[in-house]
Amino acid sequence: MASIWDRMFRAAKLDVDLYEGVEADRDATGQAMIVVVLSAVAAGLGSLGSGSVSSIVTGTVITLVAWLVWVFLTYLIGTRLLPEPETSA
């Protein structure tokens, strides 16, 4: 099993082999969720300059909700509107 850091760096490099491997690896879901939460917390910390400490929590929650909406739209488009013959979701 690849480390989360290795996968994050390879994803940043847009390594095609990584994406094929992650697609087949059911254990990668946990690592992916950690990356999503870390990026949401980073967005929350980025919103700290706009006022109070509560903006960290607000920014984090808004980022997670926006991510969930994006995932839902991507799923609908990929599975219902534009599915390929080999699509299985």
Side-chain angles (χ1 to χ4, degrees):
M1 181 173 161
S3 75
I4 189 170
W5 297 110
D6 178 53
R7 283 185 168 162
M8 287 184 346
F9 286 121
R10 289 176 61 199
K13 294 177 188 177
L14 301 176
D15 182 357
V16 175
D17 294 331
L18 169 73
Y19 292 104
E20 294 294 327
V22 168
E23 183 179 13
D25 185 5
R26 297 282 183 194
D27 295 330
T29 304
Q31 289 181 344
M33 196 61 210
I34 289 170
V35 171
V36 169
V37 170
L38 286 174
S39 66
V41 170
L45 288 172
S47 65
L48 182 61
S50 65
S52 66
V53 176
S54 67
S55 64
I56 294 173
V57 175
T58 304
T60 301
V61 170
I62 288 172
T63 302
L64 285 173
V65 169
W67 178 80
L68 286 171
V69 169
W70 182 251
V71 167
F72 179 72
L73 287 173
T74 303
Y75 176 79
L76 283 179
I77 292 168
T79 60
R80 304 288 185 244
L81 296 177
L82 303 171
E84 292 288 323
E86 61 272 355
T87 300
S88 63

